[in-house]
Amino acid sequence: MSAQRRFPRSIDALHELFAFTAETLADESGDGALSRTVDFVLEELFTNIVKYGRGATPVLVEMAAIEGGVQVTLTDFDAEPFDVTRAPPVDVTLPAESRQPGGLGLHLIRKLVDSIEYRHSPRDRCSRITFRKTRAITPAGTRPETGETNAGD
Amino acid sequence: MLAIDFGADGCVVVSGRLDAAQAAAAQAFLDRVEGAVTLDCSTLEYLSSAGLGVLLKTQKRLLASAGRLRLTGVSRHLQDIFAYSGFDQIFEIEPAR
């Protein structure tokens, strides 16, 4: 399995993005946990590009099968550098009155994926974010019920 | 798509996908509820961080006026998201049966 598609830089493109995930991971076995997680991570990364990016070029999303899961790459053309893997940690132990909506997405991504890499090329102002998600259950720190690993821990 | 409305027993029922494109609609509905509110999540298929923000903003507003938002019918997947977010300490959560 391998697929790629370009999406306009608009929140309204989310439904197209989710349709792409469903179509590409259509053969996924199980309860849909892989698709839900890929959607979650894609939505967060894509909406960050829409909200904070200044370019006009559509965002390229590529998916490729890896053993037990999928590798996804988002390419943002004409982007300022912003390393999503180095976003500040969120204190999730604070009480409700001290919590602020927002900021959780990048924190959660690091919990949900197996790995995530960020690269920015100053020469062509191109940012690439690649994450991998498998249904693997074996590594320490996994949650047996879902197979979700804690990449950021 | 997202659907949110009052159920037959007075709780609020949210169904479908609560993502960034639907967060404003969900927030607009929840901004109108008051007091102790139960949100039935048993048919909520997907919740993104934008949806988490909607729930947190609502909970903060209700707690400030002695109310609260309680979540029921929460799937295993959503329980994990809430745990990673620390929301399991902010909301009373009743798992799906």
Side-chain angles (χ1 to χ4, degrees):
Chain A
M1 175 271 287
S2 175
Q4 63 174 21
R5 197 167 297 172
R6 292 174 188 264
F7 297 90
R9 306 164 80 97
S10 166
I11 297 296
D12 292 336
L14 277 178
H15 69 280
E16 298 173 39
L17 196 57
F18 297 147
F20 178 56
T21 303
E23 181 185 314
T24 307
L25 301 180
D27 294 334
E28 174 193 0
S29 59
D31 61 358
L34 182 62
S35 293
R36 276 196 302 268
T37 301
V38 169
D39 277 350
F40 188 102
V41 178
L42 265 178
E43 176 180 335
E44 189 61 34
L45 296 174
F46 183 77
T47 54
N48 269 358
I49 290 171
V50 171
K51 284 191 273 188
Y52 305 116
R54 294 183 179 178
T57 311
V59 177
L60 175 65
V61 177
E62 300 164 276
M63 291 190 192
I66 59 175
E67 186 173 350
V70 65
Q71 172 176 293
V72 183
T73 299
L74 287 88
T75 303
D76 180 10
F77 303 93
D78 193 18
E80 298 291 336
F82 175 70
D83 188 346
V84 296
T85 68
R86 293 175 181 265
V90 175
D91 186 351
V92 298
T93 66
L94 292 173
E97 57 268 27
S98 303
R99 298 285 295 270
Q100 295 299 323
L104 265 177
L106 296 179
H107 163 81
L108 289 170
I109 284 176
R110 293 194 293 262
K111 297 286 185 183
L112 293 174
V113 301
D114 297 353
S115 67
I116 183 166
E117 298 161 12
Y118 170 84
R119 289 185 182 178
H120 180 264
S121 168
R123 191 174 60 180
D124 58 7
R125 296 175 50 80
C126 185
S127 287
R128 284 190 178 83
I129 306 166
T130 298
F131 68 88
R132 296 176 190 82
K133 176 65 186 174
T134 66
R135 303 180 202 88
I137 298 174
T138 47
T142 56
R143 305 189 64 130
E145 299 85 356
T146 61
E148 290 172 348
T149 58
N150 300 335
D153 291 344
Chain B
M1 285 301 295
L2 176 80
I4 183 166
D5 205 346
F6 290 103
D9 56 358
C11 68
V12 176
V13 180
V14 60
S15 305
R17 297 175 68 93
L18 179 40
D19 55 38
Q22 304 294 331
Q27 190 69 70
F29 184 93
L30 291 172
D31 281 348
R32 304 199 306 267
V33 301
E34 298 291 345
V37 179
T38 297
L39 184 66
D40 180 353
C41 302
S42 57
T43 52
L44 182 61
E45 300 165 10
Y46 173 81
L47 179 72
S48 72
S49 68
L52 292 172
V54 170
L55 298 183
L56 177 60
K57 185 178 176 186
T58 303
Q59 182 71 313
K60 290 180 68 161
R61 181 179 63 80
L62 293 176
L63 288 173
S65 56
R68 69 188 171 111
L69 185 63
R70 177 172 165 263
L71 310 177
T72 63
V74 177
S75 67
R76 183 70 226 195
H77 168 72
L78 289 181
Q79 288 177 55
D80 287 344
I81 295 289
F82 289 142
Y84 289 145
S85 308
F87 277 28
D88 55 345
Q89 304 301 309
I90 294 176
F91 294 87
E92 179 185 342
I93 294 173
E94 181 181 305
R97 294 172 185 168

